[in-house]
Amino acid sequence: MTVKKVTWLELFYDLLYVAAVSKASHVLLHVEDETLSLETLGKFVLIFIPIWWAWVGQTLFVNRYGQDIVSHRIFLIIQLFFVLIMTASLSVDFDQTYYSFLTGYLGLRAMTAVQYHYVRSKENGHLRATAHYLGSRFWIGLVISACSLFFDSWVRYAVLYAGIAVDIILPLAGRKILVRTPANTHHLLERFSLFALILLGESVVSILAVLQSSTWTLQSVGFAGLTFVLIIAMWWQYYDNLEKKVDKNVHTAGQTIIYGHLFIFLSLCMLAASIQLLFLNKLHYGLMVNLLFGSVLLYFASTTLVFHVYRHKQHRLGIVHLAVLTAVLVCFYILDMAVHVPDVLIMGEMALFFAVYARITS
């Protein structure tokens, strides 16, 4: 498979999503009476999904058809403007900024659909068929989401996300067509890993928030140090797998990478928020333990799945490895629910788990 390089404009495009990701993550910090409500957790997911899907749409177009030429640059630059509009509109209270958010999101998705129509006339064979399928089908989700303008209250959001859901499902429904024009696995993994790096940066920001929220005591420095070990272990595990264990010449539609990384990205955001909430003791202890371990379990399960599919066969994890890692996590969870464990020790457990995870998998 030809190695496709990530362009500087793609990297700049990702940079604008840093603010969007940060805004989505901060929704999880809205805690009242030591409780993180299901409504707040749901809002975080609903805010994050359009960000992820808008980014995925452009990433996949560039992966199959993108060239570093003037016309493609212009399309991407126009999309950057819509990214700014969407990011500026992200809020816990969507009612106040709904129209500007919808403008940004629909503008991004419409530009991606237009790009597919543009390249369709220049391609032949399977590339043409894939461009036609995606370019024509994406308008279905766009039209449904646009119809949300005619409704108020919760119905508006139901229609908006129904359109987004259709948009997300259509590539899965057309898998037989898309697999004939396989994704460039090397480029796809590089793009998703760069976005993961942005989200790891959110955890680094959480360390800074911990150190700035109090005087530098032995406890705060110890907590920040263990959190740093945790982040390094996560980085080690993810990127060592990416560079050493993954077969980047696999010819697939790339859908395991695409949809699997939604859960990786969600878990990274949740983990970043959990770090701050744990240190500041903003959540009830039981809720805090569930949020933290839930984030780690989601990350563990999703990274295991994604890398398992693309690993060389001799490097795939066995049942014993998975059993050991799951047992470690379960034992820590039972201990923390049975006994009120100090936040520093809990972070130490997480750092140890990811250190073991990195050691086994890399």
Side-chain angles (χ1 to χ4, degrees):
M1 180 177 289
T2 305
V3 175
K4 187 182 183 77
K5 289 181 61 179
V6 174
T7 66
W8 293 111
L9 188 55
E10 285 180 86
L11 294 175
F12 185 55
Y13 184 77
D14 288 356
L15 186 63
L16 267 67
Y17 274 89
V18 173
V21 167
S22 181
K23 277 197 167 186
S25 299
H26 276 73
V27 170
L28 292 171
L29 300 179
H30 287 263
V31 175
E32 295 182 4
D33 300 324
E34 296 188 330
T35 300
L36 181 65
S37 66
L38 289 176
E39 180 184 357
T40 300
L41 192 58
K43 282 183 178 180
F44 158 69
V45 174
L46 292 178
I47 287 173
F48 190 87
I49 285 177
I51 297 172
W52 162 76
W53 188 241
W55 179 85
V56 164
Q58 181 58 27
T59 296
L60 287 175
F61 173 82
V62 173
N63 181 268
R64 285 192 173 97
Y65 301 98
Q67 300 177 52
D68 195 14
I69 57 178
V70 173
S71 58
H72 286 205
R73 284 186 176 186
I74 291 172
F75 275 118
L76 197 57
I77 289 169
I78 294 172
Q79 288 200 43
L80 290 173
F81 177 70
F82 285 113
V83 174
L84 289 175
I85 294 175
M86 184 178 70
T87 301
S89 307
L90 295 174
S91 171
V92 176
D93 184 7
F94 252 157
D95 288 334
Q96 302 298 320
T97 57
Y98 184 78
Y99 295 113
S100 56
F101 168 80
L102 189 65
T103 299
Y105 176 75
L106 293 182
L108 279 166
R109 296 299 296 140
M111 287 303 301
T112 300
V114 169
Q115 281 179 291
Y116 279 115
H117 287 297
Y118 176 77
V119 299
R120 175 181 173 274
S121 61
K122 301 177 181 298
E123 300 290 352
N124 296 301
H126 295 313
L127 282 169
R128 183 185 179 93
T130 297
H132 173 72
Y133 178 82
L134 294 174
S136 59
R137 299 308 190 275
F138 282 153
W139 289 108
I140 300 173
L142 278 165
V143 170
I144 294 173
S145 291
C147 288
S148 65
L149 290 169
F150 302 108
F151 300 93
D152 292 317
S153 68
W154 65 269
V155 180
R156 168 193 290 175
Y157 298 101
V159 174
L160 167 67
Y161 285 99
I164 294 174
V166 168
D167 220 25
I168 292 172
I169 292 170
L170 282 172
L172 293 171
R175 179 178 173 81
K176 289 183 178 179
I177 296 173
L178 301 185
V179 79
R180 295 174 186 172
T181 311
N184 187 301
T185 303
H186 186 281
H187 176 267
L188 198 64
L189 284 169
E190 187 174 5
R191 294 289 280 116
F192 276 83
S193 64
L194 287 170
F195 202 84
L197 201 60
I198 292 173
L199 296 178
L200 272 177
E202 284 297 304
S203 293
V204 175
V205 171
S206 292
I207 296 178
L208 297 177
V210 165
L211 292 174
Q212 293 171 356
S213 64
S214 65
T215 56
W216 285 37
T217 63
L218 185 62
Q219 179 188 8
S220 63
V221 172
F223 185 92
L226 288 169
T227 305
F228 184 69
V229 172
L230 163 66
I231 294 169
I232 293 299
M234 292 178 71
W235 170 85
W236 199 299
Q237 184 276 326
Y238 184 100
Y239 292 95
D240 252 28
N241 272 271
L242 193 67
E243 291 300 320
K244 300 176 181 178
K245 305 295 179 70
V246 169
D247 183 0
K248 298 177 183 177
N249 295 313
V250 175
H251 293 272
T252 69
Q255 291 177 343
T256 302
I257 296 173
I258 297 161
Y259 296 98
H261 269 82
L262 169 61
F263 300 100
I264 294 174
F265 293 162
L266 285 171
S267 63
L268 285 170
C269 287
M270 291 166 63
L271 191 59
S274 297
I275 290 169
Q276 289 192 54
L277 293 172
L278 177 62
F279 180 78
L280 298 174
N281 292 315
K282 284 191 172 183
L283 274 182
H284 181 272
Y285 178 78
L287 288 175
M288 184 65 254
V289 171
N290 284 323
L291 177 63
L292 182 59
F293 277 85
S295 305
V296 172
L297 180 61
L298 183 60
Y299 179 86
F300 169 51
S302 50
T303 51
T304 297
L305 172 63
V306 171
F307 286 119
H308 178 79
V309 172
Y310 285 88
R311 275 172 174 257
H312 294 284
K313 288 185 178 180
Q314 67 270 26
H315 295 312
R316 289 179 178 174
L317 292 181
I319 297 298
V320 174
H321 297 122
L322 293 174
V324 168
L325 289 165
T326 304
V328 170
L329 198 58
V330 169
C331 287
F332 282 149
Y333 177 75
I334 293 173
L335 172 64
D336 293 348
M337 290 301 287
V339 181
H340 195 296
V341 178
D343 56 10
V344 175
L345 292 181
I346 292 177
M347 191 51 60
E349 293 171 354
M350 296 298 97
L352 179 58
F353 171 77
F354 278 105
V356 173
Y357 189 25
R359 178 67 184 86
I360 290 177
T361 59
S362 62

